[in-house]
Amino acid sequence: MNSNSSPHSRAARRPQRRPRTAPNVSLPANARRGRVASARGMTRGQRVSVAKSADKTSSQARQQAKGAPAAAQLTMGRRIRKVGLTLAIPHLVVILSIVAIAVGALLSTSQSIALLPTITATAWLVFHAAPVAGDGVVLASVPLLPALITFALSARQVRVSVRKRFSIIDLLMIFVWSLVTPLLFTVVALLMLADAQTVYPVTVPPIGSVMFSVALVHLLAFVFGLGPKAWRALARRYGIPQSILEGVVIGAKTLLWLCLAAVIVAVIFLVVGWGRQAEIMAAYPQASGSGRLALVMLSLAYIPNIIVGVGGVLLGSEYQFGAGSVSLFETHLVPLPPLPVMGMVPPTSASWAWIGLFIPVAVIIVVMLRMRPSPAMTLSAGFTAWVLTAVAAYLSGGQVGAYSNTGLPVLWTASLALIWVGGIALAVTLMQLVFARRYNAKPAVVDELAVDGEEQELGSPEPQEPEGQKPEVQEPEGQASELESHETEDSQETDAASDVAAESEQVDESEQADAEEKIEEDSVETSKGSADAQDENGRENGNEQEHRHDDSERTE
């Protein structure tokens, strides 16, 4: 047989390296043939290991390709433009909605289309809770419903931007674009108003207040748009305790429940004051159907302001209308703006109105019993309530024409929210801790009482005197009772001691008996073992003697 044709003389073919290919790309025929040929020269275990490693690397590559964020595949400039366009969508939606509504209103009222830029700029400010002005009159307490729409749209877009994986750079870009874009549109709106004030009865409102309101609305949208998951991830990255974030959530939920309670109270006052609202609506006899509809829509737009005002009054603050004020303790009214929703304001405060203070107390207690916060969480919840209440009071109030100040006092209302939420939450938390400790200590007290009862049961009855013995000299009643009590206590102690000694003697006797039995058993076992050993030795000696006798006979 030829050496080259012998199977044992053939060298095992070395497995070839698998060529790198792009995913979802078919290999050429030559590559497939080489792979098959290389697989033929390997053992079964080698082929299995190679196949597993190839599958593992391909699956890892697919996972990395799927898990890698799309922003990581883009350059920095493209990432900035993408984030900016994504966050500009809600602003474009607001502007296009304003333009569509303004065009419809102008066409329906046969007004000039030249008013469109002025209406658009003014509506942009209203949609950001910013003050507007015209003919020297400043209206800072604008309806909050349009601002809530802007807030919801912006927060949703921020949530979409951070829904998948994001980096710190992406987060910074989202933050910058969230503030810069609306501020740029606000500057354009102010320029449009400045240009239109020479023709139409409009003026530029205070620029500082406008910029602050716009930035505040979108800052809140950024904070709430990130969501709890993103904030927890940032807290873990920078070592912030999770209890602080949990306290922020508890504070926000508490204010939400307070707002629901304020809604119920506001609905009750709207129903009770329906007659006054009808009187205000009757003050516009020449208003057409569209005019009455506009009044109703304007009243509905002020509903968030009403909720904030009712919530502040329930906390103990007062709602001001210039020189007038409304609170749970006293009401002093002045002529109010002729808006139908103002008919819900009662002319006087009832003597029992202070009971309304128990509403926020009950709401806060229920929330805290459900959430069960720690002391650190209660402090964070109180600070969160202070911040959000101050923001709501600031955006819902301000100057309204001839009324100098309208709305809730910002600092006073926020301080009341801090006291109510933080103080009641802390009190409820401490009470829960005290009750928990008492509950944990209660079984130990019960065990002690049970042990005392057992000792009293084990005690022997009091010794009786012999019948023939003479009675002792009687002492005074107080001393006799004391002596008897001491004698009974001594007798109980001696009886208990005698019982314990008897029990200990019984235990010692039983232990000694057990020990003696064990010693006897050990001695018996050792004697048996020695006897068995002697028997075995005797047998072995007998066997040896027999063998010796046999050997001697054979030799003879």
Side-chain angles (χ1 to χ4, degrees):
M1 181 181 292
N2 190 4
S3 61
N4 295 329
S5 62
S6 175
H8 300 287
S9 62
R10 294 177 184 175
R13 293 186 180 182
R14 192 173 182 181
Q16 297 180 1
R17 186 178 180 182
R18 184 176 179 180
R20 296 180 180 178
T21 57
N24 300 327
V25 177
S26 61
L27 293 174
N30 296 330
R32 288 197 296 271
R33 292 194 198 99
R35 183 178 299 176
V36 172
S38 62
R40 288 176 182 173
M42 292 187 295
T43 62
R44 183 177 180 181
Q46 291 176 349
R47 288 196 298 270
V48 171
S49 62
V50 170
K52 287 183 178 179
S53 62
D55 293 339
K56 185 177 180 180
T57 53
S58 61
S59 62
Q60 289 178 356
R62 286 194 296 269
Q63 290 177 0
Q64 290 177 0
K66 291 181 181 179
Q73 302 176 2
L74 301 175
T75 60
M76 182 59 67
R78 290 183 179 180
R79 291 169 66 182
I80 293 174
R81 288 194 295 271
K82 182 180 179 180
V83 173
L85 292 175
T86 302
L87 296 177
I89 292 175
H91 308 304
L92 296 177
V93 171
V94 170
I95 292 173
L96 292 177
S97 301
I98 292 172
V99 170
I101 295 173
V103 170
L106 291 175
L107 293 178
S108 61
T109 57
S110 301
Q111 297 292 329
S112 175
I113 200 68
L115 288 171
L116 183 61
T118 305
I119 296 174
T120 304
T122 305
W124 172 264
L125 298 182
V126 172
F127 268 82
H128 290 82
V132 295
D135 285 339
V137 177
V138 178
L139 179 63
S141 181
V142 296
L144 285 183
L145 185 60
L148 288 178
I149 296 174
T150 305
F151 166 80
L153 293 175
S154 300
R156 181 184 179 278
Q157 207 63 22
V158 172
R159 180 68 61 86
V160 170
S161 301
V162 299
R163 184 170 52 189
K164 298 181 180 179
R165 296 174 59 185
F166 63 91
S167 61
I168 300 299
I169 297 176
D170 296 334
L171 196 62
L172 290 176
M173 287 190 293
I174 293 171
F175 175 74
V176 172
W177 278 116
S178 298
L179 296 181
V180 170
T181 304
L183 290 177
L184 290 176
F185 281 112
T186 304
V187 171
V188 174
L190 292 176
L191 292 176
M192 293 168 65
L193 291 175
D195 181 64
Q197 69 181 355
T198 58
V199 181
Y200 300 106
V202 294
T203 55
V204 178
I207 298 176
S209 300
V210 170
M211 291 295 184
F212 183 74
S213 299
V214 173
L216 192 58
V217 169
H218 287 280
L219 181 62
L220 289 176
F222 172 79
V223 171
F224 283 90
L226 287 182
K229 292 184 179 179
W231 282 113
R232 289 191 182 97
L234 291 173
R236 286 193 299 268
R237 179 182 177 87
Y238 294 103
I240 300 174
Q242 294 292 331
S243 59
I244 296 178
L245 295 181
E246 296 297 333
V248 172
V249 174
I250 292 173
K253 288 184 178 180
T254 304
L255 288 184
L256 180 61
W257 284 102
L258 287 175
C259 289
L260 292 178
V263 168
I264 296 173
V265 176
V267 169
I268 294 173
F269 276 95
L270 283 173
V271 173
V272 173
W274 184 257
R276 294 189 295 269
Q277 298 176 47
E279 293 177 0
I280 295 174
M281 185 64 75
Y284 300 92
Q286 298 179 355
S288 60
S290 59
R292 292 178 179 273
L293 180 61
L295 286 173
V296 173
M297 296 298 293
L298 185 60
S299 299
L300 293 176
Y302 270 102
I303 285 179
N305 303 61
I306 295 171
I307 295 173
V308 173
V310 173
V313 171
L314 290 177
L315 289 175
S317 183
E318 62 178 6
Y319 199 92
Q320 299 176 351
F321 293 98
S325 62
V326 178
S327 67
L328 294 175
F329 307 100
E330 185 181 3
T331 298
H332 177 67
L333 288 183
V334 294
L336 300 177
L339 197 63
V341 74
M342 293 297 174
M344 66 172 293
V345 180
T348 57
S349 295
S351 58
W352 48 265
W354 59 271
I355 300 176
L357 292 173
F358 290 98
I359 295 176
V361 173
V363 170
I364 295 170
I365 290 175
V366 171
V367 173
M368 295 306 159
L369 289 176
R370 291 183 60 185
M371 303 299 293
R372 295 183 178 274
S374 63
M377 292 181 187
T378 57
L379 298 177
S380 180
F383 181 74
T384 303
W386 185 87
V387 173
L388 294 180
T389 305
V391 171
Y394 174 79
L395 294 178
S396 64
Q399 184 177 358
V400 181
Y403 301 95
S404 58
N405 290 318
T406 301
L408 297 168
V410 177
L411 295 178
W412 174 240
T413 308
S415 301
L416 287 174
L418 173 62
I419 294 171
W420 284 113
V421 176
I424 296 176
L426 185 60
V428 172
T429 303
L430 293 178
M431 289 176 64
Q432 289 178 350
L433 293 176
V434 171
F435 288 144
R437 289 182 179 179
R438 288 186 177 181
Y439 180 78
N440 294 330
K442 190 174 181 180
V445 176
V446 173
D447 294 339
E448 291 178 358
L449 293 175
V451 171
D452 294 338
E454 292 177 358
E455 291 180 355
Q456 290 177 2
E457 291 177 358
L458 291 173
S460 60
E462 297 180 358
Q464 297 180 356
E465 295 181 356
E467 295 180 355
Q469 186 177 358
K470 294 181 181 181
E472 297 178 355
V473 180
Q474 295 183 356
E475 299 282 339
E477 294 180 358
Q479 295 179 0
S481 61
E482 290 179 0
L483 292 172
E484 290 176 359
S485 62
H486 286 300
E487 288 176 358
T488 54
E489 290 177 359
D490 294 338
S491 63
Q492 290 179 0
E493 290 178 358
T494 53
D495 294 336
S498 62
D499 293 336
V500 172
E503 290 178 357
S504 62
E505 290 177 358
Q506 293 177 0
V507 170
D508 293 338
E509 291 177 357
S510 61
E511 290 179 354
Q512 290 177 1
D514 295 336
E516 291 176 356
E517 290 178 358
K518 289 182 180 179
I519 291 169
E520 291 177 357
E521 291 177 356
D522 294 338
S523 63
V524 171
E525 289 178 357
T526 52
S527 62
K528 288 181 179 180
S530 61
D532 294 336
Q534 290 177 1
D535 293 338
E536 290 179 357
N537 293 329
R539 290 174 184 175
E540 291 178 357
N541 294 329
N543 293 330
E544 289 179 357
Q545 290 176 2
E546 289 178 359
H547 287 299
R548 290 176 184 176
H549 182 69
D550 294 337
D551 293 338
S552 62
E553 288 179 355
R554 289 176 183 175
T555 53
E556 291 176 357

